[in-house]
C-alpha cells in the first residue's frame, strides 16, 4: 500500500512538472514575441513606419524596386531620365535616348536641372553632379542613407531621404545636413517661387517659405475626425498650388489627390465618375505623381494609365498607354514626357488627354468665378430661352466675334447649344484660335439652373 502511495505521488509530481514546463514555455514564447515585435518596430531597416498619431500602421513597402526609370526632369533642350542600376539617359524630343556613362550601379531616385546644374540623388546617399556636361561625378553627401527626392528652392538644392534626412547645397557639390525634426522617411520634396514642401508616407508635411525656418504638420493628426486619412506617395508644385498624390488608408488602391497653395488648408479631389462611369470601376488605381496642363491635372499611374483630373467631379478621364507603371512625367510646351518601368518612355501631345466636358454644377461655379458661358445656337433659339448671363455667339460666327467679345484668351469658356454638337464645334474653333480653356456643357436641357427668354444685357 505504501508502495502504491509513493508511486501515485511520483506520478502526480511528474504531471505537475510537465504542466509547469508547458506553462513556462508558453510564457517564454509570448515574452520573446513581444521583445521581437519591439525590435522589429525599432529596427532602422524596418519597412513598418513608426506611428505618427494615426490609428493605422503603414503597410510594408516592396523590398525590391522594379527595373526601369524612376524619375525625369526638363533639362532645356533635352530631358534627363534616371533609374535602376545607375542608369542616366538624355531623352530627345524625337523619343530617342542617349545613354550617359554610368558612374554608379545604385538605384537613382530623382533628378533636377537648374541653371545648367544637374543633380541626381539615389540609394546609399549617392549624389551625382554635372555642370553643362554629360559627365556626372559623385559628390560627398555625408550620409549612407538613401535619398529619394531633390528640389531647388531659394537658390539652394534640397535633398530628402531615409529617417528624416534633409540635406542642403548652394552649388550641388557641397552638402550639409539640416535637422528636419522627422524620424520617418521623407519621400518627396518640391518647390515653387513661394514655398518648399516635403512629405512622408505617413502624412507629415514639412514646409518653408524661406529655406531657413521649417514648419512641420501631420495631416493625419490634424484632420483626424474631419477627413479621411491617407498614405502619401508624392508632392509636386503645380503653378501656385502644391498637389499631393496618395491613397486612402481604409481603402488601399483608392486614389487620393489633395491640393493647397499654403499648406494650411487642403482640398481633396473627388472621383465620382471616370470616363463617364462610377469612379470605383477604375480602382484599384495608384497615382505615382501629378503634373499640370493648363487648368487640369494629369496623373501618372501605376497601371500604365494617364488620369486627367478636372475640377468637375464627374468629368475625369483615364487613358491607358502602357502595361508598365508610369513613374514620372514632365508637362512642357503642350507635350507630356513620360517614363516608367522597363525603361519605357513616350512623348505625347497633352491635348490628347485633356477633358473638355463640364457638368452644370461645375459650370455654375466657374461662371460665378469669372468664366464665360457662350450660347452658340441661332438667334431664334437664344431669344426663346437661354442660360441667364450667357453670351450669344452663333457657331458660324465664332471666328469673327469671339475675339471681339472675349479678347482674353486665358479666360475659361463654356459652350452650349441644343444637344452639345454645335458646342463641340465652337470649342474646337476656340482652341484653334488660341483659347486655353474651353469646355462643352452640352445642351441647354442639361442646365437645371436659371434661364430666361428674350435678349439680355449679358447675352448681347
Amino acid at each position: 500500500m505504501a508502495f502504491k502511495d509513493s508511486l501515485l505521488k511520483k506520478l502526480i509530481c511528474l504531471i505537475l512538472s510537465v504542466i509547469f514546463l508547458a506553462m513556462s514555455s508558453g510564457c517564454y514564447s509570448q515574452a520573446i514575441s513581444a521583445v521581437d515585435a519591439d525590435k522589429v518596430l525599432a529596427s532602422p531597416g524596418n519597412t513598418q513606419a513608426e506611428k505618427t498619431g494615426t490609428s493605422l500602421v503603414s503597410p510594408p513597402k516592396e523590398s525590391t524596386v522594379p527595373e526601369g526609370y524612376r524619375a525625369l526632369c526638363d533639362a532645356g533642350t533635352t530631358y534627363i531620365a534616371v533609374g535602376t542600376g545607375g542608369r542616366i539617359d538624355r531623352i530627345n524630343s524625337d523619343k530617342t535616348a542617349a545613354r550617359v556613362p554610368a558612374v554608379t550601379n545604385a538605384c537613382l531616385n530623382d533628378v533636377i536641372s537648374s541653371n545648367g546644374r544637374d543633380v541626381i540623388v539615389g540609394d546609399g546617399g549617392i549624389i551625382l553632379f554635372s555642370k553643362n556636361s554629360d559627365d556626372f561625378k559623385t559628390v560627398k553627401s555625408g550620409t549612407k542613407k538613401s535619398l529619394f527626392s531633390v528640389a531647388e528652392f531659394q537658390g539652394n538644392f534640397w535633398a530628402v531621404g531615409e529617417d528624416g534626412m534633409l540635406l542642403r547645397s548652394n552649388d550641388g557639390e557641397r552638402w550639409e545636413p539640416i535637422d528636419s525634426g522627422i524620424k520617418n522617411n521623407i519621400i518627396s520634396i518640391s518647390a515653387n517661387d513661394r514655398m518648399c514642401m516635403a512629405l512622408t508616407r505617413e502624412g507629415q508635411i514639412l514646409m518653408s517659405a524661406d529655406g531657413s525656418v521649417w514648419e512641420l504638420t501631420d495631416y493625419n493628426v490634424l484632420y483626424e475626425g474631419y477627413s479621411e486619412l491617407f498614405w502619401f506617395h508624392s508632392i509636386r508644385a503645380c503653378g501656385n498650388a502644391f498637389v499631393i498624390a496618395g491613397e486612402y488608408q481604409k481603402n488601399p488602391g483608392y486614389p487620393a489627390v489633395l491640393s493647397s497653395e499654403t499648406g494650411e488648408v487642403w482640398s481633396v479631389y473627388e472621383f465620382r465618375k471616370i470616363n463617364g462611369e462610377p469612379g470605383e470601376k477604375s480602382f484599384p488605381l495608384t497615382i505615382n505623381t501629378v503634373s499640370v496642363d493648363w487648368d487640369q491635372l494629369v496623373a501618372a499611374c501605376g497601371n500604365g494609365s494617364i488620369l486627367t483630373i478636372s475640377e468637375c467631379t464627374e468629368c475625369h478621364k483615364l487613358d491607358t498607354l502602357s502595361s508598365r507603371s508610369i513613374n514620372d512625367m514632365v508637362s512642357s510646351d503642350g507635350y507630356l514626357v513620360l517614363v516608367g518601368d522597363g525603361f519605357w518612355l513616350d512623348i505625347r501631345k497633352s491635348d490628347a488627354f485633356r477633358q473638355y466636358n463640364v457638368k452644370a454644377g461645375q459650370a455654375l461655379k466657374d461662371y460665378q468665378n469669372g468664366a464665360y458661358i457662350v450660347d452658340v445656337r441661332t438667334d431664334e433659339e437664344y431669344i426663346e430661352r437661354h442660360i441667364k448671363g450667357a453670351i450669344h455667339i452663333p457657331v458660324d460666327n465664332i471666328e469673327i466675334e469671339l475675339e471681339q467679345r472675349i479678347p482674353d484668351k486665358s479666360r475659361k469658356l463654356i459652350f452650349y447649344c441644343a444637344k452639345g454638337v454645335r458646342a463641340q464645334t465652337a470649342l474646337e474653333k476656340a482652341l484653334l484660335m488660341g483659347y486655353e480653356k474651353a469646355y462643352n456643357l452640352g445642351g441647354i436641357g442639361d442646365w437645371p439652373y436659371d434661364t430666361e427668354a428674350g435678349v439680355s444685357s449679358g447675352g448681347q
Side-chain angles (χ1 to χ4, degrees):
M1 190 70 178
F3 173 78
K4 289 184 179 180
D5 289 341
S6 175
L7 181 62
L8 180 61
K9 287 179 181 180
K10 289 182 179 180
L11 182 60
I12 291 173
C13 288
L14 179 61
I15 293 172
L16 290 174
S17 297
V18 171
I19 294 173
F20 176 78
L21 288 173
M23 291 177 64
S24 299
S25 176
C27 292
Y28 179 73
S29 176
Q30 292 175 10
I32 290 296
S33 297
V35 171
D36 284 350
D38 289 340
K39 286 182 178 179
V40 168
L41 289 174
S43 173
N46 172 42
T47 56
Q48 294 272 355
E50 65 175 294
K51 292 184 179 179
T52 61
T54 62
S55 58
L56 299 177
V57 177
S58 176
K61 297 180 181 179
E62 294 182 6
S63 58
T64 59
V65 175
E67 184 182 58
Y69 293 121
R70 309 307 305 160
L72 173 76
C73 79
D74 188 341
T77 58
T78 62
Y79 302 89
I80 302 176
V82 300
T84 56
R87 182 160 168 175
I88 307 171
D89 287 350
R90 288 193 178 270
I91 299 174
N92 302 306
S93 58
D94 61 359
K95 302 184 185 182
T96 59
R99 186 78 63 87
V100 176
V103 181
T104 176
N105 60 2
C107 179
L108 303 178
N109 298 315
D110 201 10
V111 57
I112 189 172
S113 181
S114 177
N115 298 320
R117 298 174 298 174
D118 306 326
V119 176
I120 300 172
V121 300
D123 286 357
I126 190 77
I127 297 181
L128 307 180
F129 176 79
S130 174
K131 189 173 183 180
N132 297 316
S133 171
D134 283 343
D135 296 326
F136 282 87
K137 65 178 182 179
T138 304
V139 298
K140 292 182 179 179
S141 66
T143 182
K144 294 296 184 181
K145 297 180 185 295
S146 291
L147 301 173
F148 303 127
S149 186
V150 62
E152 190 273 336
F153 178 62
Q154 298 289 332
N156 292 317
F157 292 101
W158 300 85
V160 296
E162 284 185 315
D163 302 329
M165 177 61 63
L166 175 64
L167 300 176
R168 175 178 63 192
S169 172
N170 61 8
D171 59 6
E173 298 184 80
R174 292 173 291 275
W175 294 80
E176 61 176 332
I178 304 296
D179 184 8
S180 68
I182 296 176
K183 295 182 180 179
N184 292 318
N185 295 343
I186 306 178
I187 60 174
S188 183
I189 188 169
S190 189
N192 57 21
D193 293 337
R194 298 182 299 103
M195 294 191 72
C196 184
M197 293 192 194
L199 53 77
T200 70
R201 175 174 169 79
E202 294 75 22
Q204 293 164 308
I205 304 172
L206 185 68
M207 51 191 172
S208 176
D210 59 9
S212 298
V213 179
W214 292 84
E215 297 180 15
L216 178 61
T217 62
D218 191 320
Y219 180 95
N220 288 327
V221 171
L222 188 63
Y223 282 86
E224 189 169 17
Y226 301 95
S227 167
E228 293 285 348
L229 307 184
F230 304 107
W231 303 125
F232 290 159
H233 298 162
S234 64
I235 188 168
R236 178 162 290 184
C238 296
N240 292 328
F242 286 83
V243 181
I244 295 174
E247 62 185 316
Y248 285 79
Q249 286 190 358
K250 291 184 178 179
N251 294 292
Y254 276 54
V257 176
L258 303 80
S259 68
S260 175
E261 291 191 5
T262 63
E264 296 176 352
V265 178
W266 292 88
S267 300
V268 181
Y269 283 81
E270 295 184 59
F271 298 101
R272 294 181 185 174
K273 288 189 177 181
I274 298 176
N275 292 347
E277 298 286 340
E280 290 81 358
K281 286 192 174 182
S282 298
F283 303 159
L285 184 66
T286 299
I287 296 179
N288 292 323
T289 190
V290 296
S291 188
V292 65
D293 178 45
W294 297 118
D295 59 330
Q296 296 182 350
L297 295 176
V298 185
C301 302
N303 65 350
S305 296
I306 293 295
L307 176 65
T308 302
I309 303 172
S310 169
E311 292 179 345
C312 176
T313 61
E314 299 183 11
C315 304
H316 310 299
K317 183 171 177 279
L318 189 66
D319 295 281
T320 300
L321 281 77
S322 171
S323 61
R324 305 176 184 272
S325 174
I326 303 176
N327 297 323
D328 203 3
M329 67 164 62
V330 169
S331 176
S332 176
D333 298 326
Y335 287 87
L336 294 179
V337 185
L338 312 158
V339 296
D341 287 353
F343 297 105
W344 172 89
L345 68 90
D346 201 356
I347 301 177
R348 299 287 189 96
K349 285 187 175 182
S350 61
D351 58 10
F353 307 105
R354 280 189 63 80
Q355 197 293 112
Y356 294 105
N357 296 322
V358 64
K359 297 297 182 182
Q362 185 63 46
L364 179 60
K365 292 180 183 178
D366 292 340
Y367 172 70
Q368 293 170 341
N369 289 324
Y372 288 98
I373 296 180
V374 184
D375 187 317
V376 298
R377 299 174 300 160
T378 63
D379 292 343
E380 293 77 15
E381 289 174 300
Y382 179 81
I383 292 172
E384 180 180 352
R385 185 171 74 100
H386 58 265
I387 293 174
K388 190 174 182 179
I391 290 176
H392 179 221
I393 306 176
V395 65
D396 293 336
N397 296 346
I398 288 293
E399 294 96 336
I400 301 171
E401 296 186 31
L402 189 58
E403 288 182 327
Q404 298 173 0
R405 305 286 293 278
I406 310 175
D408 185 354
K409 294 186 178 181
S410 67
R411 298 293 288 273
K412 181 175 288 187
L413 308 180
I414 300 171
F415 296 101
Y416 78 93
C417 57
K419 298 293 184 181
V421 177
R422 284 173 288 177
Q424 183 63 28
T425 300
L427 180 153
E428 293 170 1
K429 289 182 178 182
L431 292 175
L432 290 174
M433 294 170 66
Y435 287 88
E436 300 169 357
K437 307 168 187 175
Y439 288 88
N440 185 347
L441 173 62
I444 191 170
D446 298 315
W447 185 261
Y449 308 112
D450 290 343
T451 59
E452 60 185 1
V455 179
S456 70
S457 58
Q460 299 293 324

